[in-house]
Amino acid sequence: STIGAVAFKDYNELLWPEDTFSSEDYIWMCSEITNRVSEDLLTHELGHWLGLAHTFEGNSCGPDNDGDFVDDTPQMININPYECVKGQNSCKDEPGDDPIDNYMSYSSCKNKRFTEGQIEKMYMEFIRFRERMEPCESDEATIDIKILFDSFSHQNMLTYSTWGTEYPHKVALLSSDLDYSNKVVTSTHCLPRNTMFEYVFSDSSGNGLESPGYVSYSINGREVYRETYFGAKSSVLVYSDGDECQAEKSRITLELQFDKRPHDKEWKLINSTGTVVADQSVTTALDTPFYYINWVSSRLIFDRCFPSGDYKFQMSDISDKGIDEPGYYKLYVDNYLVHITIGSDPNKFKSSETIEFKAGTRDPSLPFFCFSGSSKVHTKNRGILPISEVTKYEMVNIGNGVYEPIFSFGHYSPDVSTEFLQITTESTSLKLTKNHMVFTKLANAIPATILNIGDVLLSADGGTMTVESIKLVSAKGVFAPFTPSGKIVVDGVIASTYISYDSKLSMFGLEISTQWIAHSFEFPHRLACHYFGKCPNEQYDDNGVSLWLSHPLRFWLWLLGLHWGLQSLLVASCILIFTVFNGIEFMIQSPLIVSVGTPVLFHLVRLGEQKSLF
């Protein structure tokens, strides 16, 4: 009869069949057994709960039996259950005696143990599939690695190493023993703050993750990097304080992709007093023979809070060759991209360059959501025109041959010149401000600032195009045309009409679409100037931002700078309001459905009430 069992709540179908799933999560044991057996049984069942199978899993010696997926437990058949037969070898053609002294066997031997492979597997399974039972300590940061695997997950391996005064400790987080094809797996663990740690995601085929696969790295719920394409190996080194920046502090983030001459690069972050507050010394220890790593094509993410104020960032190359392909670096302040240098840019620096910027409360005067004046849109009546020549309420293409009116220009500054990101694909080139969103095949609408070479954009005809290069350019005119759907085709690319100041927004662990937030946020403006009338004499502030938007935008920027607790409360309130907005807009857009559906709904409710009386 059964004397012990395990139930898995929402566990992983890759490891256990669906009939072991349960709405509960427990280890059960029969109470009428001896204390010694009880101890071994509890450990045995706990091993199952942490992802271990029996040492005789499959109960055969055949080559088609994968056993327990642990290399250092010899294959065996359960031929003498509840006995202790030393030297037993039930699979003669396989190396090693049966592991009858193992907790995951059915033997009655004393002094049982787990092997090193089983211990590592339990750790891997726990961080992969189990919710963390306790939060990280105050001196630790919560690290989340989210992977969407392609169809060849058996070729992938993910490890991390922590770097300190001793030899780095390497741990395998995800290995190729299980089939994760086309599935999302998240690994969560704690690591010390202000410590360098390296993640290596490798692919034995040399092809990396195929679309739509990606690897995402987050610290305390904030995504610091997402990679969608690499070759045989992706190496990401992260140095972060893991803190929420307090009042009068800002987060400064450097994303540096090394080229083939990594040791020629030097960088410094200098405050207003001339003090160097950070430089490449955070990685100096990694260059010692004791634990030297291969910097070529590795990526450094330096991410810390600093006091508000004026700063200079200096990047230099001692060989006077600048950064070569595929190298680049990006500099962010509070998740806002303030500078990018790409190795493929012919105008890149040679020996050094200095970028001056201000760190502080998000500056409402920063460029908002704009396309350049030379960007092209397809109008219904006048063909392809620069945005600077398009008029309000003119019908423009939003994708797949559908046209909508431009009911407003959220930003309108025809005579201003500013910096744009120029996103080049195999068929077009698009200029837009850094936090303006575009639609991708993988992640819906995302800010242009987190696009990477190899990302796939959506084209006007429903097809796709691949990003081949990204660089900063200067252009004249800043225009933000608004359409009722929040979409518009610009230079052949389906883009959002909105911006996002965060690559993602989450509440209680759930990611929220920034496109949905922005579109809902814009509903009162859309209601007044599209559904219920027109706003021909729209007014703008000194920055060229519509007065319909300037104050709400400043409120949203203020909200994003709050402590996460208060921010989550206010965001939750906003989402409730936005949900009401969406309901109202649905009724406006679908009056026939509402007029027919409402009486039917009331009729069904009344029938239900009448039945309940009997």
Side-chain angles (χ1 to χ4, degrees):
S1 61
T2 302
I3 60 174
V6 175
F8 305 101
K9 181 179 180 181
D10 300 328
Y11 208 41
N12 193 280
E13 71 274 15
L14 302 176
L15 189 63
W16 302 102
E18 292 187 3
D19 58 7
T20 61
F21 292 175
S22 171
S23 60
E24 300 178 357
D25 191 8
Y26 60 80
I27 296 174
W28 170 87
M29 296 194 317
C30 177
S31 61
E32 298 178 0
I33 52 179
T34 64
N35 289 334
R36 186 187 66 77
V37 175
S38 176
E39 292 173 1
D40 285 353
L41 177 61
L42 176 60
T43 307
H44 177 97
E45 298 299 338
L46 183 61
H48 283 319
W49 190 83
L50 290 172
L52 293 183
H54 292 125
T55 53
F56 53 86
E57 193 71 23
N59 212 30
S60 77
C61 303
D64 295 333
N65 179 24
D66 292 322
D68 62 354
F69 294 107
V70 178
D71 291 337
D72 58 0
T73 54
Q75 199 162 357
M76 67 173 289
I77 299 175
N78 192 28
I79 57 176
N80 293 304
Y82 313 117
E83 298 181 14
C84 184
V85 182
K86 298 290 186 179
Q88 173 180 297
N89 187 351
S90 57
C91 292
K92 303 297 184 182
D93 295 332
E94 299 293 334
D97 292 337
D98 292 352
I100 57 173
D101 60 344
N102 194 282
Y103 280 115
M104 302 313 295
S105 72
Y106 271 5
S107 80
S108 60
C109 296
K110 298 180 180 180
N111 301 319
K112 290 185 177 180
R113 67 185 184 92
F114 288 118
T115 66
E116 290 296 323
Q118 287 176 314
I119 293 171
E120 182 171 331
K121 187 170 182 61
M122 284 189 285
Y123 173 79
M124 290 168 59
E125 300 300 328
F126 180 81
I127 62 175
R128 238 182 302 185
F129 303 127
R130 287 287 181 186
E131 293 182 0
R132 179 166 292 283
M133 294 182 175
E134 296 181 0
C136 296
E137 301 292 339
S138 59
D139 60 347
E140 294 178 322
T142 303
I143 312 299
D144 294 299
I145 305 175
K146 185 177 181 180
I147 303 173
L148 172 58
F149 285 92
D150 57 20
S151 300
F152 305 98
S153 69
H154 60 280
Q155 299 172 340
N156 302 138
M157 169 73 79
L158 173 68
T159 64
Y160 83 80
S161 300
T162 55
W163 305 86
T165 57
E166 300 179 357
Y167 191 80
H169 176 58
K170 179 175 288 188
V171 176
L173 296 179
L174 296 169
S175 64
S176 57
D177 58 355
L178 296 178
D179 183 10
Y180 306 108
S181 299
N182 303 310
K183 297 182 183 296
V184 175
V185 175
T186 300
S187 168
T188 300
H189 52 285
C190 299
L191 284 177
R193 301 174 188 266
N194 296 311
T195 299
M196 180 71 71
F197 43 95
E198 177 192 21
Y199 293 93
V200 177
F201 191 91
S202 58
D203 184 273
S204 60
S205 69
N207 296 324
L209 286 175
E210 296 183 358
S211 180
Y214 66 85
V215 185
S216 168
Y217 302 89
S218 297
I219 300 175
N220 290 344
R222 178 175 51 84
E223 185 175 81
V224 295
Y225 183 68
R226 176 180 291 228
E227 186 160 35
T228 56
Y229 174 79
F230 61 90
K233 185 183 76 169
S234 166
S235 175
V236 178
L237 296 106
V238 182
Y239 185 96
S240 176
D241 53 18
D243 289 328
E244 291 286 338
C245 293
Q246 303 301 315
E248 300 184 355
K249 284 194 173 184
S250 287
R251 180 165 297 283
I252 298 177
T253 305
L254 169 67
E255 178 184 326
L256 173 58
Q257 166 75 61
F258 290 98
D259 58 16
K260 295 180 180 179
R261 296 175 293 101
H263 297 287
D264 292 347
K265 308 297 180 291
E266 295 180 353
W267 59 271
K268 297 179 182 179
L269 181 63
I270 305 170
N271 65 15
S272 58
T273 65
T275 303
V276 176
V277 294
D279 58 22
Q280 72 276 3
S281 63
V282 297
T283 62
T284 299
L286 308 186
D287 289 332
T288 65
F290 191 47
Y291 42 57
Y292 179 80
I293 69 168
N294 182 11
W295 285 100
V296 176
S297 298
S298 292
R299 186 173 290 102
L300 169 68
I301 308 294
F302 176 83
D303 178 77
R304 288 189 60 188
C305 294
F306 291 93
S308 302
D310 296 323
Y311 287 86
K312 293 180 181 180
F313 180 82
Q314 294 180 351
M315 175 64 73
S316 59
D317 183 274
I318 60 176
S319 63
D320 294 334
K321 294 180 180 179
I323 292 181
D324 297 327
E325 292 188 86
Y328 68 84
Y329 76 90
K330 298 178 182 179
L331 190 65
Y332 298 84
V333 177
D334 291 327
N335 298 329
Y336 186 87
L337 180 66
V338 297
H339 182 79
I340 179 172
T341 292
I342 299 177
S344 59
D345 186 353
N347 299 316
K348 66 188 177 187
F349 75 95
K350 296 299 182 183
S351 58
S352 67
E353 66 178 352
T354 300
I355 295 90
E356 298 183 5
F357 62 94
K358 178 183 288 293
T361 303
R362 297 173 192 262
D363 186 359
S365 66
L366 288 172
F368 285 112
F369 36 93
C370 311
F371 300 102
S372 73
S374 61
S375 298
K376 303 290 196 306
V377 296
H378 195 288
T379 66
K380 188 172 185 179
N381 297 322
R382 296 197 291 155
I384 297 176
L385 294 174
I387 287 183
S388 59
E389 297 181 16
V390 177
T391 59
K392 191 183 290 188
Y393 297 106
E394 192 156 13
M395 302 291 288
V396 295
N397 188 7
I398 65 166
N400 298 309
V402 178
Y403 289 81
E404 289 184 350
I406 295 175
F407 69 85
S408 171
F409 282 93
H411 199 147
Y412 190 85
S413 298
D415 298 322
V416 172
S417 294
T418 190
E419 285 186 332
F420 295 87
L421 278 180
Q422 180 171 293
I423 313 297
T424 302
T425 71
E426 67 271 23
S427 57
T428 189
S429 184
L430 170 68
K431 297 187 188 74
L432 71 172
T433 47
K434 303 164 186 176
N435 281 24
H436 203 112
M437 291 192 288
V438 293
F439 288 90
T440 68
K441 182 179 179 181
L442 172 65
N444 199 8
I446 63 172
T449 185
I450 66 171
L451 279 175
N452 286 301
I453 294 172
D455 284 350
V456 180
L457 307 181
L458 304 182
S459 61
D461 59 2
T464 60
M465 54 186 72
T466 304
V467 176
E468 295 183 346
S469 69
I470 304 171
K471 66 179 181 179
L472 278 176
V473 297
S474 179
K476 184 178 180 181
V478 284
F479 299 86
F482 282 2
T483 63
S485 66
K487 299 179 181 180
I488 188 171
V489 174
V490 180
D491 292 320
V493 178
I494 298 180
S496 171
T497 59
Y498 308 120
I499 54 119
S500 170
Y501 276 95
D502 283 273
S503 60
K504 70 175 183 178
L505 186 65
S506 62
M507 185 180 67
F508 307 122
L510 299 175
E511 291 188 25
I512 305 169
S513 165
T514 49
Q515 173 73 11
W516 182 86
I517 289 285
H519 194 61
S520 304
F521 189 85
E522 194 10 46
F523 173 70
H525 184 197
R526 193 163 57 250
L527 183 69
C529 298
H530 173 63
Y531 292 118
F532 288 172
K534 295 186 176 181
C535 305
N537 299 315
E538 197 162 1
Q539 297 182 344
Y540 297 84
D541 64 14
D542 293 338
N543 293 322
V545 179
S546 169
L547 295 184
W548 278 99
L549 304 176
S550 57
H551 293 302
L553 276 171
R554 284 168 171 77
F555 164 77
W556 191 254
L557 292 172
W558 169 79
L559 185 151
L560 291 179
L562 295 177
H563 182 271
W564 70 268
L566 180 58
Q567 181 189 106
S568 297
L569 180 63
L570 291 177
V571 168
S573 302
C574 289
I575 288 175
L576 290 176
I577 296 172
F578 293 164
T579 302
V580 174
F581 285 172
N582 279 267
I584 296 173
E585 187 163 25
F586 175 78
M587 290 188 289
I588 295 172
Q589 291 176 334
S590 309
L592 180 61
I593 295 177
V594 174
S595 61
V596 174
T598 302
V600 173
L601 180 62
F602 279 126
H603 178 68
L604 293 175
V605 171
R606 291 189 64 184
L607 285 177
E609 291 175 346
Q610 291 172 2
K611 289 181 178 180
S612 66
L613 295 177
F614 297 96

